[in-house]
Amino acid sequence: MIRFLSFASALLFFGFMPFGKNAHLHGQEALSMSQAIQKGLENNYNIKIAETRTDIARNNNTWANAGRYPTIDFSLAFNNSFRDLSNPAGPVTGSSTFSTSAIPGVTLNWTLFNGHRVKYTKNQFEQQELLNQGNAQIAVENTIQAVILAYYNALVQKEQLEVIENVLKLSRDRIEYQEVRQEFGQAGTFDILQTADAYLNDSTTYILQVNTFETALRNLNLAMGEDNLSIPYQLTDELSSPIENYEFETLEQRMFAGNYQLRNQLVNQQLASINTQVQESAFLPSVQLQSGVNYNIGLSLGNQTLQFGDTPPFTQDIPQIAARTFNGFLNVTATYPIVDFGVRRTRVDNAKAEELVAQLNIDELKRNLRNQLANTLATFNNQKQIVQLTEALIQNAEQNLTIAEERFKGGLINSFDFRSIQLSYLNASQSKLTAIFNLKNTETELIRLIGGLVQ
C-alpha cells in the first residue's frame, strides 16, 4: 500500500513536467551560431587585451620613434648670486652685490648616421606590430573555437533532452495503458510496478539531463563572455554531421600558408634577423649634429662702502649694469669604436645564434603541425564512419521501438522486452549525438589548423 502511495505522489509531481519538442525553451531568446560567435568576439577580454597591445605597437611604429628626425629642446635658466665683501684695508671697505641673469636657449640634436640603426629599428617596430596582430588573430581564433564547441555541446544536450522527453512520454503512455488493462483484468500488480519503475527511472534521467542542458547553456554564456551566466537561449541552428571530404596535401598547403601560430613564429624569425643587423651596425661609425642658440641677459646691483685716508667712510649705490650676450653654435661629432675587447662581436654571434634558434623553432612547429593535421584528419575520417553507423543504428532502433510498442499493446512481448528495446533506442540516440559532436569538434580543429576560423 505504501508503494502505491509513493508511486501516485511521483505521478502527481511528474505530471507537471513539460513534454514535447522545445517545451523547455518556450519564451527564450533565439540564438544562432553566428550570433553566439559575434557575442563572443565583442565580449572576450583576451581579444580586447590583444587589440590594445596591437594599438600600442601601431603607435610605436613611426619613423620618429625609430630616431630618424632631430629633437629640438627649449631651455630657460635663471641664475642668481649674492656677494658680500668686507675689506678693512680699503679703500673699498665693504660691498654687497646681487646678480641675476636669464638664459633662454634652443638646442637641436640630430643623429645623421648610426650604422643604419634607424632603418633596422623601424623594421623592428613593423614586425612587432605584425606579431601583435597575429596574437590578436589567435585570440579571436580561440574565442571562435570555444564558442562553436560550447554551442554544439548545448545543441547535443538539447536534442538528448528531447529524446528523453519522448521516451518519458512513452513510459507515461504505458502506465495509462496498463491501468486500462488492469481495469479489465488483463494486467496485474506486477505489470503496473514494472511500468512505474521504468517511468520513475526515465523521470530521473530527464531531471539529470535538464541540469546537463542548463550547465551547457551556462558554459555557452561563459564562452560568449556574458556576465550573467544564467541567460537562457533557444538554439536555432541544427546539429548536422559535416559531409566535406578533405585531402591531406591541400590542407597541408593551406596550413603552412594560414596557420597563425606558424605566422607568428615566422615574424619572430624576422625579428631575430633584424636584431643581428642592429648588432652588426655597432661596427660602423656614428655621426651626431648639435646646434643651438642661447641669449643671456644679466643684471647686477648693490652698494659699496668707501674710505680714503682719515676721511669718514661713506656708502654709495653701485650703478645697475645690464649685459646681453647672444651665442650660437653648430657642432658635428663623429664616433668610431676602436677596441671593446670583443663585446660587439659577442653580441653579433649571440644574435646569429638566436636566428638559428628561431629557424629551429619553425622547423619543429611545422613538424608538429603536420603530425597534428594528419592525426586530426584521420580522426575526422574515422568519426565520419562512426556517425554513419550510428545513423543506421538509430534508424533501426526507431523502427524496432515502433514495432515493439505495437507488439506490446498486442500482448506479443512483455514489459521487460519492451523496456530493453526502449533503452536500446535511448543509447543509440546518445551514441549518435555524441558521434556528431565529436565530428564537429574535430572538424573545427581542422579548420583552426589551416587558419580558416578567422577570415
Side-chain angles (χ1 to χ4, degrees):
M1 183 64 181
I2 296 176
R3 178 67 178 271
F4 282 104
L5 287 176
S6 300
F7 172 58
S9 300
L11 287 181
L12 179 62
F13 173 75
F14 290 112
F16 293 101
M17 284 187 177
F19 293 100
K21 188 175 183 180
N22 294 334
H24 50 280
L25 300 176
H26 178 69
Q28 297 174 354
E29 177 185 350
L31 181 70
S32 66
M33 174 73 77
S34 59
Q35 291 172 330
I37 292 175
Q38 185 62 35
K39 285 177 178 288
L41 295 179
E42 291 173 355
N43 298 331
N44 187 272
Y45 288 113
N46 289 329
I47 294 177
K48 294 178 181 179
I49 293 172
E51 289 177 345
T52 301
R53 288 176 175 169
T54 301
D55 292 338
I56 294 173
R58 186 179 298 110
N59 293 335
N60 289 334
N61 185 19
T62 63
W63 282 108
N65 283 333
R68 165 174 284 188
Y69 306 119
T71 60
I72 301 176
D73 300 320
F74 172 77
S75 63
L76 178 61
F78 292 97
N79 298 328
N80 301 286
S81 64
F82 175 76
R83 182 171 181 267
D84 184 46
L85 173 65
S86 176
N87 182 19
V92 180
T93 59
S95 66
S96 297
T97 58
F98 174 76
S99 300
T100 183
S101 63
I103 309 174
V106 177
T107 304
L108 178 145
N109 293 285
W110 194 0
T111 301
L112 300 179
F113 180 76
N114 63 349
H116 308 292
R117 188 181 291 264
V118 171
K119 181 181 69 174
Y120 300 147
T121 303
K122 182 62 167 61
N123 290 340
Q124 284 180 321
F125 286 149
E126 292 173 354
Q127 296 301 317
Q128 286 289 349
E129 183 178 351
L130 289 176
L131 183 62
N132 281 277
Q133 288 176 353
N135 290 334
Q137 295 296 328
I138 290 176
V140 170
E141 187 178 64
N142 291 337
T143 300
I144 291 175
Q145 185 177 21
V147 172
I148 289 175
L149 297 184
Y151 191 94
Y152 281 142
N153 182 52
L155 273 179
V156 167
Q157 302 308 326
K158 183 193 76 169
E159 296 201 10
Q160 182 65 15
L161 182 59
E162 293 170 358
V163 171
I164 296 175
E165 284 180 355
N166 293 332
V167 172
L168 186 59
K169 185 177 183 300
L170 288 176
S171 297
R172 192 174 186 179
D173 292 342
R174 283 177 57 202
I175 291 177
E176 296 174 354
Y177 174 72
Q178 293 286 32
E179 289 175 346
V180 172
R181 292 185 64 203
Q182 188 181 37
E183 292 179 0
F184 291 94
Q186 298 179 357
T189 303
F190 181 77
D191 296 324
I192 294 293
L193 292 176
Q194 293 300 317
T195 306
D197 284 344
Y199 179 76
L200 293 175
N201 286 327
D202 291 340
S203 299
T204 301
T205 304
Y206 175 84
I207 293 175
L208 294 174
Q209 185 60 32
V210 168
N211 180 69
T212 302
F213 175 56
E214 291 174 349
T215 300
L217 287 179
R218 283 192 291 269
N219 291 336
L220 176 59
N221 278 305
L222 179 63
M224 293 189 299
E226 295 285 0
D227 293 330
N228 182 7
L229 300 181
S230 299
I231 300 177
Y233 293 104
Q234 181 179 358
L235 308 179
T236 58
D237 283 26
E238 297 293 333
L239 185 66
S240 58
S241 58
I243 59 175
E244 289 80 0
N245 293 318
Y246 297 106
E247 296 292 336
F248 178 80
E249 290 75 14
T250 303
L251 292 176
E252 184 181 40
Q253 292 177 0
R254 294 183 59 184
M255 181 181 66
F256 287 154
N259 183 273
Y260 286 101
Q261 285 183 304
L262 184 57
R263 285 185 179 184
N264 276 8
Q265 197 59 50
L266 290 172
V267 173
N268 284 326
Q269 182 192 37
Q270 288 296 319
L271 285 171
S273 176
I274 294 172
N275 183 55
T276 300
Q277 294 175 324
V278 170
Q279 300 303 326
E280 289 176 342
S281 67
F283 288 94
L284 298 175
S286 62
V287 180
Q288 305 284 334
L289 170 67
Q290 187 178 54
S291 177
V293 294
N294 59 65
Y295 188 63
N296 190 332
I297 303 175
L299 177 64
S300 297
L301 52 90
N303 58 72
Q304 62 183 359
T305 301
L306 302 175
Q307 183 177 14
F308 298 96
D310 295 332
T311 60
F314 62 94
T315 301
Q316 65 179 11
D317 293 334
I318 299 175
Q320 295 184 1
I321 302 173
R324 297 176 177 84
T325 305
F326 179 82
N327 293 322
F329 60 92
L330 177 64
N331 302 323
V332 177
T333 304
T335 304
Y336 182 78
I338 299 176
V339 178
D340 62 0
F341 299 98
V343 173
R344 288 172 296 168
R345 176 54 56 191
T346 300
R347 290 173 179 172
V348 171
D349 293 340
N350 290 340
K352 290 182 178 180
E354 290 295 337
E355 276 193 77
L356 178 60
V357 170
Q359 182 60 51
L360 293 175
N361 285 334
I362 291 175
D363 295 339
E364 179 68 11
L365 180 58
K366 284 184 175 181
R367 182 166 58 182
N368 290 335
L369 287 175
R370 188 183 293 110
N371 180 68
Q372 188 176 356
L373 179 65
N375 291 337
T376 305
L377 181 59
T379 302
F380 176 80
N381 291 329
N382 289 336
Q383 288 175 343
K384 283 182 65 176
Q385 297 178 5
I386 293 175
V387 168
Q388 293 173 356
L389 293 175
T390 56
E391 287 176 347
L393 181 63
I394 192 63
Q395 290 177 359
N396 290 340
E398 289 175 347
Q399 294 178 0
N400 198 15
L401 183 63
T402 301
I403 295 173
E405 186 177 8
E406 295 175 353
R407 290 187 175 183
F408 175 75
K409 291 180 179 180
L412 299 177
I413 61 175
N414 56 36
S415 59
F416 292 102
D417 294 333
F418 182 80
R419 182 59 178 171
S420 177
I421 295 173
Q422 196 178 42
L423 292 177
S424 296
Y425 167 73
L426 189 62
N427 293 332
S429 299
Q430 178 65 48
S431 298
K432 175 188 174 183
L433 294 174
T434 301
I436 293 178
F437 174 73
N438 291 336
L439 185 60
K440 287 286 190 180
N441 188 0
T442 305
E443 185 183 39
T444 303
E445 178 63 15
L446 270 180
I447 297 174
R448 186 195 68 81
L449 283 173
I450 64 176
L453 289 180
V454 181
Q455 299 295 336

